[in-house]
């Protein structure tokens, strides 16, 4: 980077995504930064690396968690849904309230760990209606919106696109594209999911292509932001690549690394 003129303050932000219950490291993620950016997935339903962690094994046990992970990894999604439905049938009509209670417990811990200021958007496993209830004065929640940080304009688009996994905050391609359009031209485009580029959406451990956004890719090519930042794919084939003038960066699986990605200008 070019030297900073005398007296001019450099801005540093730390960026995290896919926190999935890692409140301990989240509490330190903003250390040394002017702001923290969170790209979603605070909730931990099921840890694919440790099947004993998350809402699912808490309710149904580790053996059932092993089984559903095996089915999903084998892309046997219909069988996974049927197996899960059988387990949830035992919970009865209280399913929604049971899930919300567990998510609320995690959100209370996650949002309490956010430093001030934090700018955050939703991931595909999040429950947006609950966020504003838990976000304190130092946390700004954005979705299809912009904010200025250190003289740069940051745009935020949350959520994921519809998949056989049927996670809580999956939306239509049209709704997602409308949010991308609402953000417009920005210096940094912050999303939970990556642009639809094979190298960026392929998970090398799950051995499958996750869903990326064609609308996001088109916006990157059209508006040429300095950076496109995202998460969602935990073990991507490629973590960083250029699309035209834009540096595209998967900021990492924070639940596993505990380390934020840093941007300074």
């Amino acid at each position: 980077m070019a030297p900073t003129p005398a007296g001019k303050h450099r801005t540093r932000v730390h960026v995290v995504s896919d926190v999935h219950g890692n409140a301990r490291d989240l509490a330190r993620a903003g250390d040394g930064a002017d702001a923290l950016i969170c790209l979603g997935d605070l909730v931990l339903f099921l840890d694919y690396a440790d099947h004993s962690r998350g809402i699912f094994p808490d309710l149904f046990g580790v053996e059932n968690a092993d089984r559903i992970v095996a089915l999903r990894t084998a892309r046997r999604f219909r069988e996974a849904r049927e197996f899960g439905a059988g387990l949830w049938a035992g919970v009865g009509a209280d399913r929604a309230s049971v899930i919300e209670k567990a998510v609320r417990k995690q959100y209370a811990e996650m949002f309490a760990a956010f430093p001030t200021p934090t700018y955050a958007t939703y991931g595909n496993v999040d429950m947006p209606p609950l966020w504003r209830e838990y976000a304190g004065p130092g946390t700004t929640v954005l979705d299809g919106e912009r904010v200025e940080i250190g003289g740069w304009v940051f745009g935020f688009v949350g959520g994921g696109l519809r998949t056989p996994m049927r996670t809580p905050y999956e939306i239509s391609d049209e709704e997602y594209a409308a949010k991308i359009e609402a953000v417009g031209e920005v210096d940094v485009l912050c999303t939970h999911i990556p642009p639809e580029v094979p190298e960026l959406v392929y998970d090398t451990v799950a051995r499958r292509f996750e869903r990326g956004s064609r609308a996001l890719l088109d916006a990157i090519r059209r508006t040429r932001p300095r950076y496109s930042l995202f998460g969602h794919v935990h073990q991507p084939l490629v973590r960083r690549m250029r699309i035209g003038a834009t540096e595209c960066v998967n900021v990492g699986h924070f639940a596993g690394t505990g380390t934020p990605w840093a941007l300074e200008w």
Side-chain angles (χ1 to χ4, degrees), residues 22 53 66 75 125 134 137 142 151 154 157-158 166 181 264:
N22 189 352
R53 299 181 64 242
D66 290 341
R75 302 185 63 80
V125 303
Y134 288 93
L142 303 129
F154 288 69
V157 175
R166 298 183 182 178
E181 185 67 24
E264 188 172 349

Side-chain angles (χ1 to χ4, degrees), residues 163-179:
T163 72
M165 302 287 279
R166 298 183 182 178
T167 50
Y169 192 43
E170 293 181 354
I171 60 177
S172 70
D173 289 63
E174 293 76 17
E175 185 179 351
Y176 195 88
K179 292 195 293 185

Side-chain angles (χ1 to χ4, degrees), residues 88-123:
W88 283 109
V91 176
D94 291 335
R95 173 176 176 170
S97 61
V98 167
I99 293 175
E100 181 173 321
K101 181 180 179 181
V103 170
R104 283 182 175 277
K105 181 180 178 181
Q106 291 190 10
Y107 276 167
E109 187 176 13
M110 295 296 105
F111 279 93
F114 277 143
T116 297
T118 292
Y119 302 92
T121 196
Y122 317 112

Side-chain angles (χ1 to χ4, degrees), residues 208-222:
R208 65 169 180 258
F209 290 96
E210 303 290 353
R211 281 215 66 189
S213 169
R214 168 62 60 174
L216 173 57
L217 177 60
D218 291 344
I220 290 169
R221 288 170 171 164
R222 184 178 68 253

